[in-house]
Structures are given as C-alpha cells and as structure tokens.
Amino acid sequence: MTSVAIIGSGFGGIAAAVRLKEAGVTDLVLFEKSSDVGGVWRENTYPGAACDVPSHLYSLSFAPKADWSRRFAPQAEIHQYLRDVARDFGVLPHIRFGSEVLSARFDEGRARWRLTLSGGGEHEADVLVTATGQLSRPSRPDVPGLDTFEGTLFHSATWDHGHDLTGERVAVLGTGASAVQFVPAIAPRTAHLTVFQRSAPYVLPKPDRAYRERAKKAFARVPGLLRLSREANYVSNELRSLGFNTEPRLLFAHRAAYRKYLARSVADPVLREKLTPTDPMGCKRILMSNDWYAALQRPDVEVVTDRVTEVRPHSIVTADGTEREVDTIVLGTGFAATEFLAPIRITGRGGRVLHEQWADGASAYLGTVVPGFPNFFVLYGPNTNLGHNSIIFMLEAQVRWVVQAVRHLERGRVRWLEVRRDVAEAFDAWVQRRVRGTVFAGGCRSWYLTESGRNTQNWPASTITFRRRLHRLRPEDFAPAPAAVPEGAGRAAR
C-alpha cells in the first residue's frame, strides 16, 4: 500500500487528502505546523480580510456551500469552511498539528521520502505532496533602520490584535491587496494614517453584497441552482483570460471601468494623479474595493509617494527629506512568493537540493513535478497562479492528476515516478514563451517576478488549457524506474 505525506492543511492539502482517501489511500498523514487547518485563511486575520473571488467559485467542487453570507466571503467564514470540510470528510484524524516539516530527503535505495520534523521527529512515506501555497511567507521590506523602530511594528499577515490603534499615528507601507482591505477598516480609529505608496494599483469596484436568507434557501433546495451560480461565475471570470493571456488590449473595458471609477470617486486632481497607475493594467494584481478611495480622502489620511529612505526609532524619512513621526508601522508588503517551499530543505535523487536547482527561478512540469525529485508533487507550484479566475480550479486539477499518479504507483510496476528532464524543460520553455505575450510581461516590477525578471508565478493560458493538460497522467512523460521491490523487502517499519 502506498503511503502519502502532505505538508499543509489549506485548500490544497485538504483537497488532496479528501481525494486520496476516496481513492483508497489510508496511509495518509498531513503535517501542519499550526494548531488549526486553514493555511493563509488561518494566518491572515487583519481587519477587512476577505476574498476577491466569488464565494460559490472559491470553494471545493466536492464540498459546495449554499449558505455563504456574502457574494465575496470574509476571512473568518472561509477559515470555518475549511474546518468544516476537514471535519466532514474525515481529514482531521490524518493531521498532525504542531508538526513543522524542516526537511525531506529521498532515499533512492528504498524509494521513500524521509521527513525531519520540528522537535526531532521523523516520518517516512512513499509519496510527498507539498501544499504550502505561494503566499505563505510574509515579505519584509529592505528599509534602512527598520529594526531600530521603537514603536509597534507588524506585518498584515501577522496582525497584532492585542495592539489598539485608536488615537495613534499609523504608517502603512504598501498598497497591495491586503492594504486595500485593512486601510479602510483601521482609518476611522487612528489619529492620523500615512499610506506610503510605491506604485498605485488599479482598483475596481467590488460587486459584493450580502445574500438574503431566501437566496440561501434557494441555493440549498433548488436542484442545480448552486452549481449554475458556480459555473456562471467561472465562465464570466474565464472570459478575462483572453485579455490577460492572449491580447492585453482586450482589457480595454476594465481600463475604462477603472478610469470612470477613479474619476467618480476622487475629486481632488492632485490626489487623483497620485492614485493613477503608471504600469500597464494587469501586469500587477488588479484589486477590488468599494471603500479604498473614500478612505484615502479622509482629512486624517495622507498618501505619500516619495520613497521611504530610512526608519528611525519614532519616525519615517522619505527621499524629499520629510520626517514623519509615527507610533505604529503596519507592513502591507506582501509575500516572498517566488521563494517556493522555503524554508523546507528538500533533497532529491543524487543529493540534489531543490532550492539550488531553482536558484535561477522555480519551474515544474505542469506546475506539479520536478526532474530529479521522484514521487514528489507540488500543489500551487511554479506558474500556476492566476490573474483572472479561481486558484481552487487549478488546485483541483492538480489533485486529480496526483491521485492518478498514486494509483499508477500502487500497480507496482515502477518504484517511483520522476518526470523526464527533457519533458520538463520543453514545458518550461513553452510557459516562458507564452508568458512573454501576456499582461504579466508589461515591464512592471511585481511579486510575479524574480530579481532576474523571470516569471515563476503565473499560468499563461486559460484554466481550461491547464485542466486539459492534467486530464490524464502520461507514463511516457516519466523516466524509466526500476521495478518495485517485493512486498516487505527493504522497508522499515513505520
């Protein structure tokens, strides 16, 4: 019987566990460093945190939820949804909470992965699946003097709920997706809020609303209605793939909607100029908010576009020489998205280290498997991120493919599955060639890119294309491996 170890208990880890259990895999363990499931939806509890994908689409296909409170669910509700799925589908007994995986090494002689855990424990499995996500490690800006600040400082992903911002002078570094949500939520409480903006984001109105009780009842009782809502949201979002991945000029309607929204929302021409992006639309994440522009026009809120040059014990200095005293700094500076799987040290066949192999930028065949690393699968891996649709769709396509791989291993004809290097390199060349024609290649600096400019994040085609490419496991894509050893031979007791 094939054993599987999964790292992470967010959407990817839970989905993989459910589908593997359905396929008959019972020797299954999920390692979760925290005391609860949820991944980023457990960690990101900042004020105003919510999803920007419609709730009916941002949920697992095998676990539909008819009673979402809003069209775009808030963080706490998504977190509870993941708890419910883990409980209802029997995943919880397979999770080892408080168990951080420090490293994983592939034992060629025994065709098994050996995991080293925090606290000195170890675990072995035939298959290793990582589901740690791309947005799990907060990024700290390289600003001189940041460590000398004597006030309160925290990242939006590690929000300090014990600290009261009421009446304080608060500085926010960054204007990304998190800041667009938490700035309007905290602005009414602060004495003065300074938003330091490196580049202005494109912000569109968010078509959010609370679901009425009769609508929830209809979704629960009318056959096919919830599925229809999900599919309608999917198709609507998927049509945007043409503008993101085929012809960026097709985003003209979104650009027009943005310009109209900004002009209607911000009367002051000076502030409106500050809030007008200079990058092509789509090369950075397009954001949605109904209260971002209103918050920035409060008399106690200031938008600063001058570069931050220094942080002092009680103040922030910008390139024009202005020094602003602050009590608290909130970092809305995003995540180390291109540092896949860090800080876990993963060693494959022949002693190769994954992060050394990825030194020039991560890549994986179908965003899922890496040459030199047998029986190793990455969920939400390199070039699987989206700008136009739900990542849950991508995760479920990967999970179905991983289940096929595990079933193939269980037939006992091969000891391991390792993607051929030529197949992986051809796929990566296709991805990088395609991404050059997308909006993500617009020339702006974003978290999609490595320092060298390589896009390791985005899928450069439709989600339909992704699902089609992962529809069937192709054994011919994998290098020949030795025949399986007889049952019980060369295996240590677990």
Side-chain angles (χ1 to χ4, degrees):
M1 180 178 295
T2 302
S3 58
V4 181
I6 300 172
I7 305 176
S9 65
F11 270 101
I14 290 174
V18 170
R19 292 307 198 189
L20 286 165
K21 280 169 60 67
E22 291 176 347
V25 177
T26 58
D27 193 346
L28 173 68
V29 179
L30 288 83
F31 293 94
E32 172 53 60
K33 64 182 180 181
S34 181
S35 59
D36 197 0
V37 302
V40 296
W41 295 107
R42 178 195 63 240
E43 298 297 319
N44 286 266
T45 61
Y46 57 81
C51 193
D52 57 4
V53 175
S55 309
H56 292 165
L57 185 58
Y58 199 80
S59 49
L60 295 161
S61 63
F62 57 82
K65 177 178 167 65
D67 61 345
W68 288 108
S69 65
R70 307 189 62 84
R71 187 162 185 259
F72 293 85
Q75 170 269 331
E77 194 171 3
I78 298 174
H79 185 199
Q80 187 58 50
Y81 168 78
L82 289 169
R83 287 168 165 165
D84 294 342
V85 173
R87 179 198 64 219
D88 295 344
F89 286 84
V91 175
L92 290 177
H94 295 272
I95 303 178
R96 291 190 188 178
F97 290 109
S99 295
E100 183 177 6
V101 177
L102 304 179
S103 65
R105 175 179 289 274
F106 186 69
D107 185 333
E108 294 182 52
R110 301 170 58 231
R112 289 171 65 75
W113 282 95
R114 176 176 294 176
L115 281 59
T116 301
L117 312 175
S118 56
E122 290 190 343
H123 179 82
E124 290 190 2
D126 301 308
V127 173
L128 175 60
V129 179
T130 60
T132 57
Q134 294 185 7
L135 307 178
S136 59
R137 297 181 63 238
S139 177
R140 187 181 175 94
D142 184 17
V143 179
L146 191 62
D147 292 333
T148 69
F149 185 66
E150 295 180 3
T152 302
L153 184 149
F154 54 86
H155 193 281
S156 64
T158 55
W159 195 273
D160 185 353
H161 291 279
H163 180 69
D164 188 3
L165 298 174
T166 302
E168 287 202 332
R169 297 165 297 180
V170 178
V172 173
L173 304 188
T175 53
S178 299
V180 163
Q181 294 183 337
F182 73 72
V183 164
I186 67 173
R189 308 202 321 255
T190 64
H192 190 272
L193 181 63
T194 306
V195 178
F196 291 89
Q197 173 186 276
R198 189 179 66 183
S199 61
Y202 284 93
V203 181
L204 295 173
K206 191 173 187 177
D208 191 19
R209 66 179 185 277
Y211 282 120
R212 297 179 179 178
E213 288 303 315
R214 64 184 182 184
K216 298 177 190 178
K217 291 178 181 178
F219 285 130
R221 297 174 182 175
V222 178
L225 184 60
L226 183 56
R227 181 180 177 86
L228 179 63
S229 173
R230 178 185 175 88
E231 292 183 351
N233 282 315
Y234 171 77
V235 171
S236 176
N237 283 343
E238 190 63 12
L239 288 174
R240 297 190 299 165
S241 175
L242 295 172
F244 277 84
N245 297 312
T246 304
E247 177 47 75
R249 286 178 295 183
L250 293 176
L251 289 175
F252 67 89
H254 289 78
R255 286 191 291 270
Y258 157 74
R259 287 192 293 267
K260 181 178 179 180
Y261 183 44
L262 179 64
R264 184 178 71 243
S265 302
V266 183
D268 179 8
V270 176
L271 179 59
R272 191 166 62 242
E273 179 67 23
K274 285 184 177 181
L275 301 178
T276 300
T278 57
D279 299 316
M281 190 177 206
C283 72
K284 293 181 180 178
R285 185 172 174 178
I286 299 174
L287 309 178
M288 292 193 296
S289 174
N290 296 326
D291 47 15
W292 170 247
Y293 290 136
L296 298 185
Q297 293 177 89
R298 292 176 57 91
D300 50 3
V301 174
E302 179 187 13
V303 178
V304 177
T305 57
D306 291 300
R307 181 174 58 87
V308 173
T309 57
E310 182 186 1
V311 174
R312 294 175 182 172
H314 300 284
S315 62
I316 294 178
V317 181
T318 49
D320 63 348
T322 302
E323 181 177 4
R324 294 173 174 85
E325 293 190 353
V326 296
D327 303 305
T328 295
I329 298 176
V330 182
L331 303 178
T333 47
F335 300 86
T338 59
E339 298 175 12
F340 287 89
L341 303 181
I344 306 171
R345 181 180 177 86
I346 298 176
T347 306
R349 191 170 53 80
R352 54 178 54 83
V353 177
L354 184 62
H355 289 106
E356 293 177 359
Q357 184 164 312
W358 281 353
D360 295 327
S363 66
Y365 178 57
L366 301 176
T368 312
V369 289
V370 183
F373 295 81
N375 294 359
F376 173 64
F377 303 90
V378 187
L379 301 182
Y380 199 6
N383 295 109
T384 60
N385 187 61
L386 298 174
H388 71 281
N389 215 324
S390 173
I391 191 60
I392 310 302
F393 186 94
M394 305 287 277
L395 285 170
E396 291 204 64
Q398 288 183 289
V399 166
R400 285 190 292 268
W401 197 74
V402 170
V403 170
Q404 291 182 50
V406 173
R407 284 175 170 167
H408 186 76
L409 287 167
E410 289 195 321
R411 296 188 187 104
R413 296 174 184 171
V414 294
R415 295 186 66 195
W416 65 64
L417 285 172
E418 178 189 340
V419 68
R420 288 164 37 198
R421 186 166 296 276
D422 62 314
V423 169
E425 289 176 349
F427 172 79
D428 182 61
W430 176 84
V431 167
Q432 295 304 317
R433 184 169 61 250
R434 283 291 300 259
V435 83
R436 286 195 290 270
T438 68
V439 294
F440 311 120
C444 62
R445 179 184 175 188
S446 74
W447 60 268
Y448 302 146
L449 309 177
T450 64
E451 288 295 325
S452 65
R454 175 185 168 87
N455 190 317
T456 59
Q457 308 301 126
N458 297 96
W459 175 245
S462 68
T463 63
I464 296 172
T465 299
F466 188 75
R467 182 173 63 178
R468 185 173 64 246
R469 295 199 68 154
L470 279 87
H471 177 69
R472 182 180 65 86
L473 184 82
R474 292 162 46 93
E476 61 268 28
D477 289 342
F478 296 85
V485 296
E487 183 66 26
R491 294 194 176 213
R494 292 192 296 272

